[in-house]
Amino acid sequence: MSASLSRPPRVGVWLIGARGSVATTVVAGCAAVTAGLHPPTGLVTEKPAFADSGLPTLSSLVFGGHDTSDCPLPKRAEQLAAGGVLPAGLPAAVDAELEAADREIRPGGPVSGDSRGDEQLISEFAADIRDFVRRSGLARAVVVNVASTEPAATGPALPPSSLYAAAALRAGCPYVNFTPSTGLHHPALARLAESSGLPYAGRDGKTGQTLLRSALGPMFAQRALAVRAWSGTNLLGGGDGAALADPAAAEAKNAGKERVLADTLGTTPEGRVHIDDVPVLGDWKTAWDHVAFDGFLGTRMILQTIWQGCDSALAAPLVLDLARLTARAHEAALSGPLTELAFFFKDPVGNAPSALAEQHAELERFARRLSDGRGADDERGEQETPGAPRDHATRSGGEAG
């Protein structure tokens, strides 16, 4: 058999916010792991449970995307290395891969003064994606939104994230929303999502503070401990910090954090999450939680947690996981919301559990179904059997938290 015949099919990963910190870390990290320069730490899909699931290999992934920024990926990677996000020397080691991905990035929008209407923007974005698939000889492509958070949509106008989501489906590509932005959640896109026959997943990647909440919330409920208040603070910089300085964007971000507590505790405790933009922190973040709870005989107690991490290093492996899983779901002819991927999100689509352990169990069941060649409907049938805003341009950024 010739080398060309034995090579695995190439799969595209089209990133919205393709020159941001998360996207740059995705491209550089994939190249580094593929070349054996670093181990696949943080990649869930590299665990043994997924070995036989038929996922596309990391070496088969091809990157492109949309962005309103014109900073080349190699330069962005150098900036991230200077900030300690990427290992020193890595940008130079994977320069060819960064250059190749940068050549596939197309101008995003809408930008200030943009005269194009929604239909024209959607058509042009979809054409960019289709052209990427055709020129690169791809078997399929997955569109992943890793752009900065936008305020929650109000009214009938489609925000940028929804324009890109509509373009993904029009181009025949599965869609993943790694941000809390509206995306496919806009009412005007409900019929399109349903009729597209494509799988989609989201929203808002769960990488830090909410990851802890989804693990700790069930602990309190299982031990019959009464949580009276759960408050939190996020200190972060970079594109995420700047975007979330907008109260409307922060509100969209916090909705998923609070929903996890309500679902896992069975009640909504007092307290809020406060998000502060601290530009000097760059891509690093500190998340602090203060939990007040009652024990036996009403004894009052406190749990405090501190999570300090790098947004992009936390998010990038999950973006690769989601791209691989969603591409495989598309190959397996699955369609509609991929509730099985709730493990990765604060606000997952469909009817999914909120407790981390339950989500992980469902994800591993999904891996087995992909390995067996069964569709999601087959498994769901077994389980149901008794006894068995337009003026916000898409900016480079990324979501974690």
Side-chain angles (χ1 to χ4, degrees):
M1 181 178 292
S2 69
S4 61
L5 291 177
S6 61
R7 186 180 302 128
R10 286 153 54 92
V11 173
V13 182
W14 188 263
L15 300 165
I16 309 304
R19 290 193 169 112
S21 297
V22 171
T24 305
T25 308
V26 166
V27 176
C30 185
V33 173
T34 298
L37 301 177
H38 288 271
T41 305
L43 274 165
V44 176
T45 49
E46 285 295 296
K47 292 167 61 179
F50 299 87
D52 298 320
S53 297
L55 304 182
T57 63
L58 292 173
S59 62
S60 72
L61 301 183
V62 182
F63 298 95
H66 281 114
D67 206 315
T68 57
S69 170
D70 58 4
C71 178
L73 279 182
K75 182 177 180 180
R76 185 72 187 110
E78 290 172 2
Q79 294 170 347
L80 292 176
V85 177
L86 296 179
L90 182 61
V94 298
D95 182 72
E97 289 85 350
L98 291 168
E99 290 278 7
D102 195 67
R103 289 193 294 270
E104 297 296 342
I105 298 176
R106 299 295 178 262
V111 295
S112 179
D114 206 321
S115 62
R116 294 173 294 177
D118 288 355
E119 177 57 33
Q120 183 178 355
L121 285 163
I122 293 170
S123 295
E124 291 182 5
F125 294 158
D128 289 337
I129 299 168
R130 284 193 295 262
D131 185 54
F132 169 66
V133 173
R134 178 187 57 79
R135 286 183 301 95
S136 303
L138 306 177
R140 58 186 44 81
V142 176
V143 176
V144 186
N145 182 15
V146 290
S148 296
T149 301
E150 64 190 17
T154 57
L158 293 178
S161 64
S162 296
L163 298 175
Y164 287 113
L169 300 189
R170 184 173 295 186
C173 296
Y175 173 78
V176 176
N177 189 0
F178 201 73
T179 83
S181 300
T182 303
L184 282 180
H185 277 64
H186 198 285
L189 300 185
R191 183 174 298 178
L192 175 62
E194 183 177 355
S195 64
S196 69
L198 294 164
Y200 55 89
R203 63 183 170 169
D204 201 2
K206 180 169 60 186
T207 59
Q209 186 177 46
T210 313
L211 180 66
L212 278 178
R213 289 178 168 214
S214 64
L216 293 175
M219 177 194 73
F220 285 104
Q222 290 160 2
R223 290 293 299 271
L225 298 171
V227 174
R228 293 185 295 110
W230 198 315
S231 300
T233 294
N234 265 252
L235 306 177
L236 68 164
D240 225 10
L244 294 172
D246 181 338
E251 185 66 25
K253 182 80 169 178
N254 284 337
K257 293 176 180 286
E258 293 169 3
R259 188 174 298 110
V260 167
L261 293 183
D263 289 349
T264 57
L265 295 174
T267 185
T268 303
E270 294 180 9
R272 298 273 294 172
V273 175
H274 300 277
I275 299 177
D276 292 331
D277 177 23
V278 186
V280 71
L281 293 179
D283 208 52
W284 298 82
K285 66 186 296 182
T286 296
W288 171 72
D289 268 17
H290 183 280
V291 187
F293 64 98
D294 289 343
F296 190 50
L297 305 179
T299 305
R300 295 195 166 186
M301 292 175 272
I302 297 293
L303 168 70
Q304 295 187 56
T305 66
I306 297 176
W307 177 283
Q308 294 180 308
C310 174
D311 245 8
S312 298
L314 291 165
L318 304 188
V319 171
L320 290 169
D321 287 333
L322 286 163
R324 299 173 79 189
L325 288 162
T326 308
R328 178 68 180 101
H330 186 218
E331 182 185 34
L334 303 184
S335 64
L338 295 175
T339 58
E340 298 86 355
L341 303 187
F343 177 76
F344 297 99
F345 298 106
K346 297 183 184 70
D347 186 18
V349 296
N351 184 20
S354 294
L356 190 66
E358 294 176 41
Q359 292 175 339
H360 187 262
E362 180 60 24
L363 178 63
E364 291 202 332
R365 281 194 292 270
F366 186 56
R368 290 193 294 272
R369 290 201 297 276
L370 292 176
S371 178
D372 295 340
R374 291 187 293 163
D377 289 340
D378 297 332
E379 178 70 12
R380 288 169 187 152
E382 289 180 8
Q383 292 176 344
E384 291 167 5
T385 302
R390 185 177 162 81
D391 58 338
H392 289 267
T394 297
R395 298 177 298 275
S396 299
E399 291 308 317

